[in-house]
Amino acid sequence: MSLQQIIAIVIFLCTVSAIITGKIHNMVAAITGAVLLVLTRILTIEDCVEAVDVDTICILVGMMLTVAVVKNSGIFEYIAIKAAKLAKGRPWPIMVTFIIITALLSGMLDNVTTVLLVGPMTLAITNILKVDPVPYIISQIMASNIGGTATLIGDPPNIMIGSAANLGFVDFILNTGFAIVFVVIAVLICFYFIYGKKLFVTDEAIEKIMKLDEKKAIKNRRLMHESIIVVIIVAACFVFHDQLGVESATIAIAAACVMLLIGKQDPEEIILSVEWPTILFFIGLFIVVGGIKKVGIITMLANGLIAVTGGNVMLTMLIILWVSAIVSSFLDNIPFVATLIPLILSMQSHGMDVTPIWWALSLGACLGGNGTLIGASANVVLSGISKNNGHPITFGQYFKIGFPMMILSIAVCTVFLLIRFA
């Protein structure tokens, strides 16, 4: 190896180690790694700009701005109360309803934003019912990652994959979305046997739920109506973006602009609500991965993987699926996916059909996040909300449920991918 390759690998490993251990903030670690690559002259400023996936950044910023305006209408609180009443206040139907709502919202928004909205509402309803909220929180953590896997915009790894592989909203629905239907069915059956028969509430608690007025949750009726219209239009644009000839990033930014214009909310407050540390984290991470790509490490790894699998697409697909799932259970899936994307593109340049491999990476990395309490950002955020409200979830407590459910999900996806592409 050349000196430049060694330096790039050391910077990459140090950055990833800092992210894993959490001793340094993710954003600080990624930006520091990027700066070191420039200081060591492995990358120029121009290289850094080229390494950043602008489409991914624009989709993230656009959706964060849009959701920041929409949530001020109170629509999410309305949905939660309405759902609990439709379930007649019964604990198991409420759990099923909230799992489905969380999964659907995670696909339409993103899973972190979804748990920030749904988590507090779940705690409020379980408090009225006087039931332990932990089973509900654990089921929603899993639902957020499962739902986020189904669409282009549901989970950051999918946004990255879609941008790199030029895959659209419909492509994800027809592949990962279709697989997720079977995963949800399998998970609901398991949750019924784990929690369904153990949940019990009093008639008095059910009566309190049924007396709630969901209309009082609406803070701004005009904004709610406008939000619904805009969300429907944006969803349609995502689905037909190929026919419209418009990039997903453009749709996300346009949606943000429309909501800022018609929402009549304080622009500074909305802009401040964007998770800018997350955006900077992505930018720094793209640059760090760009460093090992420029010095040829990615190409070397791609050649090694092709040599091990003999270029067999199905074997490579299964290796990527299971390795992604296991690794993403314990490590942040974003840097892992950021590293594998150029690896897969390198395999594609060698003439390999990588279409099945993209879907294996998406399913493995996103669903793998369900394996442990630190497997995905949504897990950390929602468990933190639960802890702050007096209901801590331990690593072991979650692991006993989450890891077997993750293995089941990946087994379902294995069957799906083999039928779909064999």
Side-chain angles (χ1 to χ4, degrees), residues 223-252:
L223 179 59
M224 185 186 75
H225 292 153
E226 291 173 345
S227 298
I228 292 170
I229 293 169
V230 171
V231 168
I232 291 171
I233 293 171
V234 169
C237 289
F238 274 127
V239 171
F240 298 108
H241 80 98
D242 282 334
Q243 292 84 347
L244 295 171
V246 181
E247 296 293 333
S248 298
T250 306
I251 295 169

Side-chain angles (χ1 to χ4, degrees), residues 46-269:
E46 289 75 16
D47 291 331
C48 292
V49 173
E50 188 177 340
V52 175
D53 189 331
V54 178
D55 285 345
T56 296
I57 300 300
C58 287
I59 291 173
L60 286 169
V61 172
M63 293 309 297
M64 285 178 184
L65 287 169
T66 301
V67 171
V69 178
V70 171
K71 72 178 182 182
N72 286 338
S73 69
I75 187 171
F76 298 111
E77 291 87 345
Y78 175 89
I79 291 171
I81 296 170
K82 190 72 174 177
K85 291 177 71 174
L86 287 172
K88 306 295 184 185
R90 293 169 295 170
W92 168 244
I94 285 178
M95 178 178 280
V96 173
T97 305
F98 270 59
I99 286 173
I100 294 171
I101 287 173
T102 303
L104 289 174
L105 286 177
S106 294
M108 291 187 294
L109 308 174
D110 69 82
N111 49 13
V112 174
T113 300
T114 297
V115 298
L116 284 169
L117 297 167
V118 175
M121 292 182 277
T122 302
L123 289 164
I125 287 172
T126 53
N127 183 51
I128 295 171
L129 289 173
K130 292 183 170 59
V131 295
D132 182 7
V134 170
Y136 291 84
I137 296 295
I138 289 176
S139 67
Q140 284 176 11
I141 286 173
M142 294 187 191
S144 69
N145 290 316
I146 291 169
T149 308
T151 69
L152 169 67
I153 59 173
D155 209 357
N158 280 1
I159 298 174
M160 297 160 70
I161 291 168
S163 178
N166 195 27
L167 296 168
F169 198 90
V170 175
D171 296 316
F172 276 88
I173 292 292
L174 295 178
N175 289 277
T176 57
F178 195 41
I180 288 309
V181 173
F182 300 104
V183 172
V184 169
I185 292 170
V187 165
L188 283 175
I189 292 171
C190 289
F191 274 135
Y192 177 74
F193 288 105
I194 296 170
Y195 296 127
K197 296 181 178 181
K198 299 177 182 177
L199 299 170
F200 173 79
V201 297
T202 64
D203 291 337
E204 183 185 356
I206 292 175
E207 189 179 347
K208 282 185 179 180
I209 288 289
M210 299 308 293
K211 285 182 178 178
L212 291 175
D213 186 359
E214 62 274 16
K215 293 178 182 178
K216 290 182 179 178
I218 301 171
K219 303 169 188 173
N220 187 327
R221 190 170 294 276
R222 180 191 60 80
L223 179 59
M224 185 186 75
H225 292 153
E226 291 173 345
S227 298
I228 292 170
I229 293 169
V230 171
V231 168
I232 291 171
I233 293 171
V234 169
C237 289
F238 274 127
V239 171
F240 298 108
H241 80 98
D242 282 334
Q243 292 84 347
L244 295 171
V246 181
E247 296 293 333
S248 298
T250 306
I251 295 169
I253 292 296
C257 289
V258 170
M259 289 309 303
L260 284 168
L261 285 169
I262 69 174
K264 297 181 180 178
Q265 304 293 300
D266 182 357
E268 290 186 9
E269 182 183 326

Side-chain angles (χ1 to χ4, degrees), residues 299-418:
T299 303
M300 290 168 59
L301 291 172
N303 291 337
L305 185 56
I306 291 171
V308 169
T309 61
N312 185 300
V313 175
M314 290 297 102
L315 181 56
T316 306
M317 176 188 76
L318 294 178
I319 289 174
I320 292 292
L321 174 66
W322 282 92
V323 169
S324 299
I326 300 299
V327 171
S328 296
S329 290
F330 297 94
L331 309 181
D332 194 320
N333 56 12
I334 294 170
F336 180 76
V337 170
T339 306
L340 257 64
I341 283 173
L343 182 73
I344 296 172
L345 289 173
S346 182
M347 289 191 286
Q348 185 178 35
S349 69
H350 285 75
M352 182 183 285
D353 178 15
V354 297
T355 302
I357 299 173
W358 287 123
W359 302 124
L361 177 61
S362 172
L363 290 167
C366 295
L367 292 176
N370 274 336
T372 71
L373 203 55
I374 59 170
S377 300
N379 307 21
V380 177
V381 170
L382 192 46
S383 62
I385 292 172
S386 184
K387 181 180 179 181
N388 292 338
N389 284 271
H391 303 282
I393 302 172
T394 66
F395 186 94
Q397 182 182 10
Y398 180 88
F399 186 82
K400 286 190 294 184
I401 304 295
F403 200 80
M405 295 285 268
M406 183 275 290
I407 295 296
L408 172 66
S409 299
I410 298 302
V412 170
C413 291
T414 299
V415 175
F416 170 81
L417 288 172
L418 288 173

